Amino acid sequence: MAASMDFLSNPILMSVITALCLVLLFHYFHKKAKPHGKKYHPVGATVFHLFINFNKMHHYMTDLAEKYKSYRILSPIQGEVYTADPANVEYILKTNFKNYGKGKHTHSIASDLLGDGIFTVDGDQWREQRKVSSQEFSTKILRDFSSVIFRNNTIKLGKILSQAADSNQIIDINDLFMKATTDSIFKVGFGIDLDNLSGRNEEGARFSRAFDDANNLTYKRFVDVSWKIKRFFNIGFEAELKNNMKIVDEFVYKVIQVKIEQMQKSKDEFLLKKEDILSRFIQVNDRDPKYLRDIILNFMLAGKDPIAISMCWFIYMLCKHPEVQEKVAKEIIEATNMNKEITDVADFAARVSDTALDKMQYLHAALTETIRLYPALPVDPKVCFSDDVLPDGCNVNKGDVVAYLPYAMGRMKFIWGDDALEFKPERWLDQYGCFHQESPFKFTAFQAGPRTCLGRDFAYRQLKIFSSVLLGWFVFKLSNENKVPQYRTSINLHVDGPLQVYVFHRSGFQNPSTYNCETRSVWVNPNQKKFDSV
């Protein structure tokens, strides 16, 4: 048994076996997918091609989308169709919504991590969670509570950046954004001060690492057809996933138990009206810890990673386009009426009101342009419940995976024009400089139809609070202009590894170190000699 497990855990041998199986089955599935008289999408590749291109998967799938627009990936498990065609996306997400859902395939892959949460279920389960979540996201209590939390954690992050600016220290902005958003989501979602930014809560940090690793490992199941074998023998990445999920579950169930006990002990009706989302779900169902566990982890996936990912790519794009960074900063300063000297990031944050945020149309456009090119969810798979014909005239069969490609769609010239690969916030502004939304079937980062992301406004609010405070107070510059960050292939589009930047206090405020945006130079002290930017 030990020998056989060693054999199965060898990635090279498993890859060879997979390749041989695919070669033997290629013609069978090719013929099976093309019954006489029916039109099907062209074959772009096999799952083996996805496996060997795993680290550059979204580039690979974008190239296929540019060539075919919609195409099939041959698999020994089920048919797979991938599309970058807005007409097909609208049909899947809206016109024939009832025929496309998560299905058993997605549920089996993601259930160890996300259970029966809103991202893995269909039908009545989905409708119930959607209804409760929709009610929560629409409340003024949650909006006000979350805004306070976002500002507080932005101030904490700002103080860390101020120290880095004072010491001319290189920082990993990717790591800091992940910690800051985790702290925000835990407080808003579960009423818990995780305090990842300070680094003092080792239990919370251990949970965060395990959750992130479990996220990455779960995604491998979409391309590794042998994952169920590995799970059965508890080998390879499945063994890693199991260990990480043990850490995740122990932490989450402890949070749930503590929260339930707190609410049961409280006899004050006012205290029962908690602002965090977990407390509200407990009021709906406090007898099923598994139900609450799934709510927590789905909310974590939706709220933590996308915000941090978007902010990280946003800072990178602004560093590559300093003229955009300056336009954003100028708008922020004007919208907040910064007409007096501010000496502290907390004072600056206090000026960032909801009214000021609403005025920041160019910031909204620049964030949206970043999300167009770097959507947090690069691929979104559905399952076809009955035989169907898509608007492009091609057939899909019952049980086929039908996925649309937000990452690829953001780069398609037939959708965005010849400048599709350029970073141009202006494409989102009308002639009066006001933000205008594109069709959600063209800009698919927040889904569309009945499954439109409930947290879209919630996400933009946090993104704009982070951005307005940090970009109004600081200037960001890459530590290595020549290094191009890569993504990590996962459920979400994480930057792979650190994103190292220099941070400078913006000129015009009283600080020991400032950055002059016009001359691109650093001043250590207003009374000292100016020197070139690093």
Side-chain angles (χ1 to χ4, degrees):
M1 175 63 75
S4 64
M5 290 181 67
D6 289 339
F7 172 77
L8 288 170
S9 63
N10 187 310
I12 297 177
L13 289 175
M14 288 300 294
S15 297
V16 171
I17 291 173
T18 302
L20 289 173
C21 290
L22 287 170
V23 169
L24 291 172
L25 294 171
F26 181 88
H27 293 292
Y28 170 72
F29 284 103
H30 188 63
K31 291 178 180 178
K32 179 182 176 182
K34 280 191 169 184
H36 181 69
K38 287 189 175 182
K39 177 184 175 184
Y40 285 82
H41 296 99
V43 175
T46 69
V47 288
F48 178 66
H49 291 96
L50 296 186
F51 185 77
I52 62 177
N53 288 284
F54 185 78
N55 291 332
K56 290 284 188 180
M57 182 184 295
H58 304 305
H59 285 80
Y60 183 72
M61 298 178 84
T62 298
D63 290 343
L64 292 174
E66 191 171 22
K67 182 178 181 180
Y68 299 112
K69 191 179 290 189
S70 299
Y71 56 90
R72 286 181 298 141
I73 298 291
L74 295 185
S75 167
I77 307 301
Q78 73 281 307
E80 297 185 11
V81 174
Y82 295 85
T83 185
D85 185 343
N88 286 343
V89 174
E90 181 173 5
Y91 184 81
I92 294 164
L93 297 184
K94 180 183 177 182
T95 307
N96 200 12
F97 167 77
K98 292 182 179 180
N99 196 41
Y100 297 89
K102 297 300 181 179
K104 293 180 180 178
H105 174 68
T106 300
H107 185 271
S108 67
I109 286 176
S111 60
D112 285 343
L113 175 62
L114 301 176
D116 296 323
I118 196 169
F119 294 127
T120 65
V121 296
D122 299 301
D124 292 340
Q125 283 182 297
W126 171 76
R127 278 187 288 272
E128 178 194 353
Q129 293 187 47
R130 175 89 180 182
K131 180 180 178 180
V132 177
S133 298
S134 178
Q135 292 170 347
E136 296 309 319
F137 275 108
S138 63
T139 62
K140 186 177 185 298
I141 293 176
L142 180 62
R143 178 187 173 89
D144 294 344
F145 177 59
S146 63
S147 294
V148 171
I149 300 305
F150 296 158
R151 283 185 175 83
N152 289 343
N153 282 315
T154 303
I155 291 169
K156 290 180 182 179
L157 176 57
K159 291 180 178 179
I160 294 173
L161 298 181
S162 287
Q163 293 174 357
D166 293 343
S167 60
N168 199 32
Q169 175 188 353
I170 295 175
I171 59 164
D172 177 10
I173 198 69
N174 186 20
D175 178 63
L176 290 175
F177 279 139
M178 289 301 295
K179 289 177 178 178
T181 54
T182 300
D183 286 349
S184 295
I185 292 304
F186 253 81
K187 185 64 176 179
V188 173
F190 323 123
I192 295 173
D193 290 311
L194 204 59
D195 206 14
N196 263 347
L197 272 174
S198 72
R200 291 191 293 266
N201 188 338
E202 178 53 36
E203 186 180 19
R206 185 166 173 258
F207 162 78
S208 295
R209 289 193 298 270
F211 181 81
D212 291 342
D213 289 344
N215 183 341
N216 299 334
L217 294 167
T218 296
Y219 194 77
K220 289 186 176 181
R221 290 179 169 181
F222 282 99
V223 296
D224 189 339
V225 296
S226 66
W227 72 267
K228 289 186 178 181
I229 298 174
K230 291 177 180 177
R231 183 174 66 173
F232 179 81
F233 288 106
N234 194 33
I235 57 176
F237 75 85
E238 285 293 328
E240 294 181 59
L241 178 58
K242 183 177 180 179
N243 291 336
N244 281 298
M245 286 312 307
K246 181 179 179 182
I247 296 170
V248 168
D249 285 340
E250 286 177 352
F251 184 86
V252 170
Y253 281 121
K254 180 179 178 181
V255 167
I256 293 169
Q257 187 59 38
V258 169
K259 180 64 66 173
I260 290 176
E261 290 175 358
Q262 288 176 347
M263 295 184 69
Q264 288 176 341
K265 289 179 181 178
S266 176
K267 296 181 180 179
D268 189 334
E269 186 176 343
F270 174 78
L271 292 178
L272 286 175
K273 295 180 180 178
K274 293 290 184 179
E275 297 162 309
D276 64 89
I277 292 174
L278 176 59
S279 296
R280 293 173 173 273
F281 271 100
I282 287 175
Q283 291 175 333
V284 174
N285 184 348
D286 66 351
R287 298 180 181 179
D288 188 354
K290 174 65 166 55
Y291 168 83
L292 297 171
R293 175 261 188 208
D294 296 346
I295 294 292
I296 286 179
L297 293 182
N298 279 258
F299 185 77
M300 276 285 293
L301 184 68
K304 178 179 79 73
D305 289 7
I307 302 298
I309 288 167
S310 296
M311 280 304 306
C312 198
W313 288 114
F314 183 51
I315 293 298
Y316 170 70
M317 294 306 288
L318 294 188
C319 288
K320 298 300 290 184
H321 301 272
E323 74 285 356
V324 175
Q325 184 171 173
E326 293 316 306
K327 287 185 70 173
V328 168
K330 182 175 183 293
E331 181 186 62
I332 291 167
I333 292 169
E334 290 176 352
T336 51
N337 294 316
M338 289 296 171
N339 53 9
K340 65 178 183 178
E341 293 181 335
I342 303 294
T343 59
D344 184 81
V345 68
D347 293 336
F348 193 102
R351 304 290 293 270
V352 181
S353 63
D354 285 346
T355 300
L357 290 174
D358 289 340
K359 294 178 181 178
M360 300 177 192
Q361 299 292 295
Y362 189 78
L363 170 60
H364 199 103
L367 285 166
T368 305
E369 180 71 346
T370 301
I371 296 170
R372 177 182 73 87
L373 292 169
Y374 298 98
L377 186 66
V379 181
D380 194 350
K382 311 295 181 187
V383 172
C384 178
F385 295 143
S386 63
D387 292 356
D388 202 359
V389 180
L390 297 181
D392 59 11
C394 292
N395 286 262
V396 290
N397 298 325
K398 178 180 179 181
D400 283 355
V401 172
V402 182
Y404 65 96
L405 306 167
Y407 183 90
M409 292 180 73
R411 287 164 162 73
M412 292 296 104
K413 292 181 180 180
F414 76 87
I415 296 178
W416 300 100
D418 291 338
D419 61 356
L421 298 180
E422 297 179 28
F423 182 69
K424 293 178 62 175
E426 289 77 12
R427 77 173 77 241
W428 297 93
L429 300 175
D430 63 18
Q431 59 181 324
Y432 304 106
C434 297
F435 180 84
H436 71 88
Q437 185 61 271
E438 290 283 359
S439 164
F441 309 109
K442 174 180 174 181
F443 176 64
T444 56
F446 294 99
Q447 290 214 44
R451 281 189 183 263
T452 296
C453 177
L454 288 170
R456 180 180 59 190
D457 293 340
F458 180 89
Y460 269 116
R461 191 180 314 120
Q462 185 170 4
L463 287 168
K464 292 178 77 170
I465 290 172
F466 265 127
S467 301
S468 58
V469 174
L470 299 184
L471 291 164
W473 189 249
F474 300 105
V475 179
F476 295 87
K477 191 175 188 297
L478 294 172
S479 65
N480 183 350
E481 293 282 357
N482 297 319
K483 184 178 180 181
V484 179
Q486 304 298 318
Y487 56 75
R488 184 170 71 244
T489 303
S490 177
I491 292 175
N492 294 125
L493 196 73
H494 291 271
V495 171
D496 189 12
L499 181 65
Q500 296 181 323
V501 300
Y502 284 105
V503 187
F504 307 99
H505 292 292
R506 188 167 292 282
S507 61
F509 302 107
Q510 289 185 342
N511 287 288
S513 172
T514 63
Y515 188 86
N516 189 300
C517 303
E518 294 182 1
T519 61
R520 307 289 179 209
S521 58
V522 181
W523 292 72
V524 174
N525 186 295
N527 299 319
Q528 289 183 346
K529 180 180 177 182
K530 182 174 71 174
F531 63 90
D532 292 335
S533 59
V534 288

